[in-house]
Amino acid sequence: MTFHATVLTLYPEMFPGPLGVSLAGRAMAEGKWSINAVQIRDFAADKHRTVDDTPAGGGAGMVLRVDVLAKAVDYAREGGADRPVIALTPRGKPLTQGRVRELSDGPGVILLCGRFEGFDERIFAGRAVEEVSVGDIVLSGGEPAALMLLDACIRLLPGVMGAPSSGSEESFENGLLEYPHYTRPQEWEGRTIPEVLRSGDHAKIASWRKRRSEDDTRSRRPDLWERHTGVRVQSASGAQREVQDD
Ligand code: SAH
């Protein structure tokens, strides 16, 4: 089965873009995934090919029209409704490695890229569109977010990554950040590689890596650590509390 991406965008020329080179580009040439970028403007009804209008209630910027978006989504779904439709928006659910893995196990995605102030809200319920954010930042358009999501999915497709094990040990796969890496030279500007990594003792190396993975997650990403262990990282008051799953 080929993972197929349809991207609905005002800038189809941005695709495959960076996904046409390196790992993803090679996988595309081998037929492991495919992409079709569709111009949203083609679904406009007037001769000026208008896709946006001023925001109801006033304010700056323009909003993508729901009728135009719906036609584009309907067109993308024509080939079969089995692929989820995902709109990229900072108001969406933060993208996780877990969701990426689910998507990469499926038939592909239909991605809806916003521009201007974003989408008319009615598109989400009206066409069962999932809202996904790629981080607490504001991009000028959904396209770089779509490229990010696709890159994350493509590298997980069967046969795309060189060593199959390099997927499962990585950051987020077990709820933790990965341990840090080192390579030659052994000494660089007075900085050395941790001794244990040169010991050849695989059990010791494994336990060092596990500890670093845990320590670094606790200090850098208390949010991940909390979810992983159910224990809140020590707050300023020194109190710890059990955390409920949400
Ligand atoms: N007015 C909106 C931002 C619009 S940015 C707001 O404040 O929420 C224009 C477009 O860029 C959005 O419609 C969306 O498609 C895309 N975009 C911006 N930031 C994003 C993010 N963090 N994740 C996913 N898409 C994003």
Side-chain angles (χ1 to χ4, degrees):
M1 189 181 62
T2 298
F3 181 93
H4 185 59
T6 301
V7 184
L8 306 172
T9 167
L10 290 171
Y11 298 96
E13 64 273 25
M14 289 192 184
F15 298 89
L19 301 178
V21 298
S22 188
L23 197 83
R26 224 163 20 244
M28 183 165 64
E30 291 166 1
K32 296 192 171 101
W33 71 283
S34 60
I35 187 167
N36 179 25
V38 175
Q39 173 57 269
I40 294 173
R41 216 170 274 289
D42 291 347
F43 301 91
D46 64 326
K47 71 171 196 294
H48 301 295
R49 312 221 298 155
T50 308
V51 294
D52 56 345
D53 209 334
T54 53
M62 299 295 273
V63 177
L64 287 165
R65 289 174 58 120
V66 67
D67 50 351
V68 178
L69 293 170
K71 279 193 206 150
V73 168
D74 293 345
Y75 168 83
R77 276 201 174 122
E78 261 169 29
D82 52 340
R83 289 179 300 155
V85 180
I86 295 178
L88 287 315
T89 162
R91 283 172 43 89
K93 194 169 172 188
L95 185 61
T96 61
Q97 187 65 13
R99 184 68 183 122
V100 164
R101 199 164 269 289
E102 277 170 17
L103 291 172
S104 70
D105 283 338
V109 281
I110 297 168
L111 299 176
L112 187 53
C113 301
R115 280 273 153 181
F116 323 122
E117 288 310 313
F119 311 97
D120 183 311
E121 185 69 14
R122 293 169 292 180
I123 190 64
F124 306 122
R127 285 296 182 274
V129 174
E130 181 181 335
E131 296 171 74
V132 167
S133 165
V134 297
D136 293 343
I137 54 170
V138 181
L139 302 166
S140 56
E143 291 80 7
L147 290 167
M148 238 173 95
L149 183 151
L150 289 175
D151 180 279
C153 289
I154 291 161
R155 62 191 288 284
L156 295 182
L157 297 175
V160 171
M161 250 182 322
S165 70
S166 59
S168 53
E169 282 212 349
E170 276 174 327
S171 292
F172 314 117
E173 288 290 350
N174 58 2
L176 299 173
L177 300 178
E178 198 186 41
Y179 49 79
H181 297 285
Y182 299 86
T183 187
R184 280 179 283 271
Q186 286 192 353
E187 191 187 329
W188 172 77
E189 297 189 353
R191 296 167 193 272
T192 54
I193 294 176
E195 198 57 46
V196 58
L197 297 180
R198 293 190 273 150
S199 67
D201 182 335
H202 295 297
K204 254 166 77 183
I205 291 171
S207 82
W208 181 88
R209 285 179 165 166
K210 181 164 184 288
R211 210 190 59 240
R212 277 302 300 264
S213 170
E214 292 172 352
D215 290 352
D216 291 352
T217 304
R218 193 184 307 114
S219 62
R220 296 173 179 212
R221 292 292 305 274
D223 56 323
L224 291 182
W225 183 250
E226 207 172 302
R227 214 173 307 150
H228 180 71
T229 58
V231 176
R232 173 154 286 203
V233 175
Q234 203 117 33
S235 68
S237 70
Q240 292 208 344
R241 69 169 176 79
E242 288 297 303
V243 175
Q244 308 296 318
D245 271 346
D246 56 12

